[in-house]
Amino acid sequence: MERLPSKRKISHLNPDDYPDFFKIYMPEINSIRLRIPPAFINNFNGNVPKHVIVKNSAGKFWHMELERVEGNYFLSKGWKLFVSDYSLERGEFLVFGYNGNSVFGVKVFGKDGCKKAEPPAKTKRVNFTCANVKQEFVAEEIQVKQTGTGRQAPPDTHGSPEKSVRFVKTFSAGQASFLHIPSGVVSEYSIKAPAAIFLRNQNGVVKSAATLSRRKDGRIAVTCGWKDFCIRSNILPGDECEFEILFGPVGRRVEEICVCVSKKKPAKPALSWETTSE
């Protein structure tokens, strides 16, 4: 089986070129967890992620754990919810493609050989109004060690505070490779960080997978996937970004972060005075 390119390269591959495998659903064997073919594990090049996202073409995704049992790897925690959402039946055919960034794409085919209808994404779609972001957010600043300040936005008016939290930051060159969620926001809302999430811009056009890690000082860092998202979203130093953290159905576990960008205004040209003689 062909090995995966490095993570940097595979994330830019055409989805048709992603390595994939198939499974036939048999409830007595894989209703609780799904075994990944041992030969496919070679594609991870020794770096098997502990947490992954399984995503269908409708945009719905499931957080799952890759569990190792007696030398085999299984999609475990989160798999039963996937089975339930798809109402999987004996003999149905599943095709998984791996994109190298802890994300599996999935297609499900019924016993008639046709692609099965996909459960729609339940995560709400938020369209931000980016104009005059500075004037709209006049909340007190939360001091963040080593990273300047993060400004907490007013509570989300589109839903209850338990469903989302917002804060504002000005993008700088030092944040090109990672983004820190301020420790004040993390502690105040008891935010839980899974290993992988999705990032989306205000137009919903750019949607990328990214990984999270918790720092010792309490901050949560968005790491792998953040730089690529910034490039594709054309986020530049000086741009002001409003971040909305969307939580999953249980607890305050991050599921998706929506980013609204207010572009930096170009500097006004300096006035010049010409002296003329009569």
Side-chain angles (χ1 to χ4, degrees), residues 7-263:
K7 284 188 176 181
R8 286 186 179 181
K9 294 181 180 179
I10 197 169
S11 62
H12 298 290
L13 287 178
N14 186 299
D16 293 336
D17 297 326
Y18 293 160
D20 47 24
F21 67 90
F22 75 89
K23 300 290 288 189
I24 299 175
Y25 181 71
M26 304 295 287
E28 68 273 17
I29 297 175
N30 42 37
S31 62
I32 298 177
R33 61 187 183 185
L34 183 76
R35 179 173 174 263
I36 295 178
F40 190 85
I41 298 299
N42 294 332
N43 290 302
F44 292 108
N45 296 319
N47 297 315
V48 181
K50 294 182 179 179
H51 300 84
V52 296
I53 288 174
V54 175
K55 174 178 175 290
N56 67 16
S57 60
K60 183 175 177 61
F61 54 91
W62 297 260
H63 291 281
M64 298 190 192
E65 290 185 1
L66 267 182
E67 180 184 16
R68 186 175 184 180
V69 180
E70 298 180 353
N72 292 304
Y73 286 89
F74 297 83
L75 290 172
S76 57
K77 186 177 181 181
W79 171 252
K80 289 195 290 185
L81 178 60
F82 175 87
V83 172
S84 174
D85 286 347
Y86 262 102
S87 301
L88 290 182
E89 298 179 2
R90 178 188 300 275
E92 291 187 323
F93 195 86
L94 298 89
V95 178
F96 295 86
Y98 184 66
N99 76 357
N101 198 24
S102 299
V103 177
F104 284 94
V106 65
K107 295 180 181 179
V108 179
F109 297 85
K111 289 179 284 188
D112 59 359
C114 297
K115 187 178 178 183
K116 194 170 183 177
E118 297 178 326
K122 294 181 181 179
T123 303
K124 64 179 180 179
R125 188 183 183 96
V126 179
N127 292 318
F128 292 107
T129 301
C130 293
N132 301 320
V133 172
K134 277 190 176 182
Q135 285 74 12
E136 292 178 10
F137 298 100
V138 194
E140 63 178 301
E141 293 185 342
I142 301 173
Q143 298 299 322
V144 182
K145 296 179 181 180
Q146 300 177 357
T147 59
T149 59
R151 195 161 69 253
Q152 180 186 348
D156 183 15
T157 57
H158 300 284
S160 63
E162 289 76 17
K163 296 299 181 182
S164 66
V165 171
R166 289 190 278 175
F167 66 95
V168 179
K169 271 193 171 185
T170 299
F171 183 75
S172 65
Q175 297 170 335
S177 298
F178 55 84
L179 166 75
H180 281 125
I181 300 175
S183 58
V185 175
V186 175
S187 60
E188 181 175 351
Y189 294 96
S190 302
I191 295 175
K192 297 179 181 179
I197 62 164
F198 276 109
L199 297 168
R200 175 161 54 84
N201 66 7
Q202 65 263 29
N203 300 318
V205 177
V206 177
K207 191 168 184 177
S208 303
T211 57
L212 298 183
S213 63
R214 188 177 289 271
R215 305 300 196 200
K216 292 181 179 180
D217 60 7
R219 295 175 296 169
I220 293 175
V222 182
T223 53
C224 182
W226 170 249
K227 184 175 182 180
D228 180 66
F229 176 80
C230 290
I231 293 173
R232 295 171 62 198
S233 301
N234 192 32
I235 301 176
L236 302 173
D239 291 346
E240 189 161 68
C241 302
E242 175 200 346
F243 299 90
E244 180 170 22
I245 303 172
L246 301 179
F247 300 125
V250 180
R252 290 181 173 178
R253 181 183 174 92
V254 181
E255 193 168 80
E256 185 170 304
I257 297 179
C258 302
V259 185
C260 174
V261 182
S262 180
K263 301 300 292 182

